[in-house]
Amino acid sequence: MSRSDTQQPVPEEKAPAQHDFALESVPQKQRRSGYALVTVWVGWAISTSSLLVGGTVGAGTSFGVGLTAIVIGNTILAIIAALVGFVGFRTGLTTYLASRSIFGDRGSAVPSLLLGVLAMGFIGVLMDAFATAMNQLVPSVPWLLWIVLFTIAITATAIFGFKGLAVLSVVSAPAMVLFAIVSVVRISEGDGLATAVAAEPVEPIGFQAALTAVIATWITGATLVSDVGRYARRPVHIVIGAVCGYVVGAGVFEATAMLSASAAGNGNFVVVMSQLGLLLPAALILALTLWTTTDNNLYSASLAFTNASRTFGRTIDKRVWVLVSVAIAVATALAGFASDFGAFLGIIATVTPPFAGIFIAHFYVLGHLRTVGSAPLPAVRWSALGAWLATALLAYLVDLPVEPVSGLLIAGAVYSVAGLLSRRTESRQS
């Protein structure tokens, strides 16, 4: 008997699972446990950017103002993420497949391409920051080699989709939370906590700027959590995941970095940890925070590009798009955008929140959550694209208060009004 005769054919029903259900709904039998979902969510939300933002907030605000901005900002993110994630739970669809209902069959290619590139550009900025920090800690290892090593590591896990995320996050998420607790204890020893509470910023940035930075850091992630939420077995897993991911995960790390910046007068978290004798664990945690976040963004970007390719009549394997996504991140890292992290956050704060507002308005205000998969789709829904573009331009041209929240609310309101007027017009004509 030949070798080919002994091979068993792959059941047709397993084919979508091999491609991580990039173009179809996740069936109930493929949903994951609440613990797996929560650890993936926490691993995604705890990021190098949390340390960067926490350091910025700590250096630019008083302790009370900074902590308030972190708590409120991450609570807002958790609410957005829960609303978006519940759509994934109900439909089993990725954010991008669900967006076909909003932007149209071909129109959904716009958010897929734009948000996919932004997600990987964000990771490229963090990769640059990580490689720079590690090169300073270990000068004998060149900056470029750190980029190469990290690229190999993240690709090896992201290629397996949600399964790879779950395996990595189950180990790393508890370790990162434990490290944050140990760090807070060490920083607070002696007069550390009193110094942090009493510290006043040399160059204040104000509450609104701090709140905007906290929300902008993870508004893209909160907008894409349907990619993770579609694996939930119960709706309560979505709520727990959102709260643990942003309030407990990102919030705790931002507060830890803020505390270290206020107590030590240095916004560089790794340097402060080195002074406390925690250099090695800090370096490991820095790598883990970037790894888990990068894997999730790779995962979402590859799903986005898979949807875009389907829109243009080509179905390209999601694993190919993982490699393309990695290439975008590496190109961004090589371009050296990490030195202007604030400007990159500004782009995200302008572009992503309007999409989130339209997404939430479509499924909750206009009630389309009940009709996903059954209602006919237009090629392009211009009211959705128009509301997104108009709000993004407004946010770019006008200094809106707490820009991410304002952009989300304005876009959601504009799209809701357009949708309700369209319904009234259709009912009169019928």
Side-chain angles (χ1 to χ4, degrees), residues 274-295:
S274 176
Q275 295 171 351
L276 294 173
L278 297 174
L279 177 58
L280 180 58
L284 292 174
I285 291 300
L286 185 66
L288 279 177
T289 58
L290 184 56
W291 193 347
T292 53
T293 299
T294 300
D295 254 16

Side-chain angles (χ1 to χ4, degrees), residues 155-170:
T155 305
T157 49
I159 207 79
F160 293 104
F162 190 90
K163 183 182 295 185
L165 300 182
V167 171
L168 175 63
S169 298
V170 162

Side-chain angles (χ1 to χ4, degrees), residues 18-170:
Q18 291 177 346
H19 302 288
D20 216 25
F21 302 98
L23 295 175
E24 51 271 312
S25 174
V26 177
Q28 283 295 327
K29 63 182 179 181
Q30 295 289 343
R31 303 291 177 104
R32 305 300 291 266
S33 68
Y35 182 73
L37 187 81
V38 170
T39 53
V40 167
W41 214 319
V42 171
W44 189 1
I46 295 178
S47 163
T48 306
S49 62
S50 298
L51 303 179
L52 294 175
V53 169
T56 300
V57 171
T61 66
S62 63
F63 183 82
V65 170
L67 188 61
T68 302
I70 288 172
V71 172
I72 293 177
N74 283 289
T75 299
I76 291 173
L77 288 172
I79 292 171
I80 296 170
L83 291 172
V84 174
F86 186 72
V87 173
F89 163 75
R90 280 288 301 272
T91 65
L93 300 175
T94 68
T95 303
Y96 305 103
L97 284 180
S99 72
R100 292 178 61 211
S101 171
I102 307 170
F103 295 94
D105 188 39
R106 294 190 176 276
S108 66
V110 176
S112 292
L113 291 172
L114 183 57
L115 294 181
V117 170
L118 270 182
M120 294 322 301
F122 180 70
I123 289 305
V125 171
L126 297 184
M127 287 174 68
D128 185 5
F130 167 78
T132 300
M134 296 305 293
N135 177 247
Q136 292 174 350
L137 293 174
V138 189
S140 59
V141 180
W143 176 90
L144 183 59
L145 183 55
W146 282 115
I147 293 289
V148 171
L149 292 173
F150 191 77
T151 299
I152 294 172
I154 61 176
T155 305
T157 49
I159 207 79
F160 293 104
F162 190 90
K163 183 182 295 185
L165 300 182
V167 171
L168 175 63
S169 298
V170 162

Side-chain angles (χ1 to χ4, degrees), residues 314-336:
R314 297 288 300 275
T315 302
I316 300 175
D317 194 306
K318 186 184 75 69
R319 290 168 290 190
V320 174
W321 289 118
V322 168
L323 300 179
V324 172
S325 301
V326 170
I328 294 172
V330 171
T332 307
L334 294 176

Side-chain angles (χ1 to χ4, degrees), residues 209-391:
L211 181 61
T212 298
V214 170
I215 297 174
T217 303
W218 269 114
I219 185 66
T220 300
T223 303
L224 302 179
V225 295
S226 185
D227 298 346
V228 174
R230 65 199 181 114
Y231 278 95
R233 290 177 181 170
R234 298 181 178 87
V236 69
H237 294 165
I238 297 295
V239 177
I240 295 174
V243 172
C244 289
Y246 295 105
V247 179
V248 178
V252 167
F253 259 72
E254 288 164 1
T256 301
M258 182 196 73
L259 182 63
S260 70
S262 300
N266 190 330
N268 190 320
F269 183 74
V270 175
V271 170
V272 175
M273 292 299 99
S274 176
Q275 295 171 351
L276 294 173
L278 297 174
L279 177 58
L280 180 58
L284 292 174
I285 291 300
L286 185 66
L288 279 177
T289 58
L290 184 56
W291 193 347
T292 53
T293 299
T294 300
D295 254 16
N296 277 276
N297 278 36
L298 265 175
Y299 174 65
S300 286
S302 64
L303 293 174
F305 297 144
T306 302
N307 178 64
S309 69
R310 179 211 55 80
T311 300
F312 293 115
R314 297 288 300 275
T315 302
I316 300 175
D317 194 306
K318 186 184 75 69
R319 290 168 290 190
V320 174
W321 289 118
V322 168
L323 300 179
V324 172
S325 301
V326 170
I328 294 172
V330 171
T332 307
L334 294 176
F337 288 130
S339 59
D340 204 4
F341 183 66
F344 199 86
L345 280 184
I347 296 173
I348 292 174
T350 299
V351 174
T352 306
F355 172 85
I358 293 168
F359 191 96
I360 292 170
H362 182 82
F363 290 109
Y364 294 98
V365 178
L366 298 179
H368 289 292
L369 191 58
R370 300 185 299 272
T371 62
V372 178
S374 59
L377 297 177
V380 178
R381 182 171 277 116
W382 295 106
S383 60
L385 288 175
W388 189 9
L389 177 60
T391 307

Side-chain angles (χ1 to χ4, degrees), residues 386-404:
W388 189 9
L389 177 60
T391 307
L393 283 175
L394 178 66
Y396 176 75
L397 297 172
V398 180
D399 187 17
L400 298 174
V402 192
E403 187 174 300

